[in-house]
Amino acid sequence: MKLRKVTAASAAVLALAVAATACGSSDDDKDSGSSSGGGKKVTIGIKFDQPGLGQKTPQGYSGFDVDVATYVAKKLGYSENQIEWKESKSADRETMLQRGDVDFIAATYSITPEREQKVDFAGPYLLAHQDVLIRSDDNSIKSPSDLNSKKLCSVTGSTSAQNVKDKLAPKAQLQQYPTYSACLTGVQNGAIDALTTDDSILAGYASQSQYKGKFKLGGFKMTNENYGIGVKKGSDLKAKINTALEAMVSDGSWQKAVDKNFGPANYKNEPAPKIGDVKS
């Protein structure tokens, strides 16, 4: 009889201990930003197919956007192994933020008035420009007007090549390929004279080991592309990310990321933009 009482009492204490532990675990799981683990994650949207910016490789994820996002996540309190990377294609970015599929997006995401109606932006963290990529031995294209009668390539559905043809070089022979890589191969073998899109994207491709020394940027700065980090409308993450971006510039990490990802293409980057300074 006495044994049964002790056993029952012990069972009651054990049950209370388990309940307390479970309650504590639940509270911990709700916390965010701890770098000590505990299963907490931050989900970040990036491009998976843009060398130098956001690329998924067998070794992991690499690129300038990845470096920026990783730095920001660390300042928010997350270690690298707490980051979940999610592919954010251009057409899906606003929807992913609105649905809460990601916490924030760093994916060559230009800040525009139309997009600001749907999402908020921290930054900008990079000022890019539309430019052209040509063979390093091609000295015939020194200005946008020299693209007249040249074969100009961009990806199918892109506005970049059409922008040049409509405004700067109306006689350019516009070629549309399914991928930037296909355009680049065309430039390399002479089937295409120039590839056009953001200079940061062009520098990323040209920086790949198999292309080093084979291409150069025109340096034309045909448009301003203010890359921002997208967050859900009204999110308090915007202010926190802005603080992180300012720290990245001030401690030199921003310039190191630029040099590492774009340096091999001799990319003449703009200075780090001031937070909220969106160039039209």
Side-chain angles (χ1 to χ4, degrees):
M1 186 69 179
K2 186 178 291 187
L3 179 61
R4 284 198 295 269
K5 284 183 178 179
V6 172
T7 304
S10 299
V13 171
L14 179 60
L16 286 172
V18 170
T21 302
C23 182
S25 298
S26 178
D27 289 342
D28 287 344
D29 287 344
K30 291 178 183 177
D31 291 340
S32 62
S34 170
S35 60
S36 60
K40 293 170 288 294
K41 296 285 185 182
V42 60
T43 305
I44 305 173
I46 58 170
K47 292 291 180 67
F48 277 14
D49 59 353
Q50 286 186 342
L53 286 151
Q55 186 178 28
K56 182 179 181 180
T57 71
Q59 292 73 40
Y61 301 89
S62 63
F64 181 70
D65 284 346
V66 175
D67 289 345
V68 170
T70 300
Y71 185 99
V72 168
K74 184 177 180 180
K75 287 295 184 181
L76 293 176
Y78 297 94
S79 59
E80 285 191 45
N81 62 8
Q82 291 175 305
I83 298 174
E84 179 184 352
W85 300 107
K86 186 165 287 191
E87 184 175 19
S88 297
K89 296 180 180 179
S90 296
D92 301 333
R93 291 177 296 203
E94 285 84 38
T95 301
M96 292 179 71
L97 287 169
Q98 290 169 340
R99 284 193 314 226
D101 296 341
V102 292
D103 294 296
F104 62 86
I105 290 177
T108 59
Y109 203 179
S110 295
I111 301 171
T112 68
E114 294 77 19
R115 289 170 178 165
E116 287 183 303
Q117 293 178 11
K118 300 176 181 178
V119 301
D120 285 340
F121 285 98
Y125 64 91
L126 183 73
L127 176 59
H129 307 282
Q130 185 180 340
D131 202 354
V132 297
L133 193 73
I134 56 181
R135 290 181 297 279
S136 57
D137 61 353
D138 186 347
N139 297 312
S140 66
I141 302 175
K142 298 179 180 179
S143 70
S145 62
D146 291 332
L147 294 168
N148 281 305
S149 301
K150 297 285 187 179
K151 293 178 181 178
L152 179 67
C153 186
S154 196
V155 297
T156 304
S158 167
T159 59
S160 299
Q162 197 63 48
N163 181 53
V164 174
K165 185 171 174 59
D166 291 345
K167 300 177 181 179
L168 301 169
K171 294 182 180 179
Q173 300 174 37
L174 179 59
Q175 310 285 319
Q176 297 190 70
Y177 286 9
T179 64
Y180 289 120
S181 296
C183 283
L184 201 60
T185 299
V187 176
Q188 185 176 9
N189 63 29
I192 297 295
D193 297 304
L195 161 60
T196 186
T197 187
D198 297 356
D199 54 6
S200 58
I201 297 174
L202 296 174
Y205 274 96
S207 294
Q208 294 180 93
S209 57
Q210 67 267 38
Y211 296 134
K212 286 180 183 177
K214 296 181 179 179
F215 302 101
K216 61 184 178 182
L217 293 167
F220 299 155
K221 298 183 179 181
M222 294 180 281
T223 64
N224 289 330
E225 304 296 335
N226 303 270
Y227 289 176
I229 293 181
V231 299
K232 191 173 184 178
K233 199 76 174 172
S235 171
D236 62 357
L237 273 180
K238 176 180 176 179
K240 296 176 182 178
I241 292 173
N242 279 335
T243 299
L245 292 174
E246 289 174 338
M248 187 176 189
V249 173
S250 64
D251 70 15
S253 298
W254 183 89
Q255 189 60 52
K256 287 180 181 178
V258 170
D259 295 341
K260 181 182 80 171
N261 293 292
F262 303 130
N266 295 316
Y267 176 53
K268 304 298 189 296
N269 66 282
E270 296 279 4
K274 293 182 179 179
I275 298 301
D277 184 13
V278 179
K279 302 292 186 185
S280 59

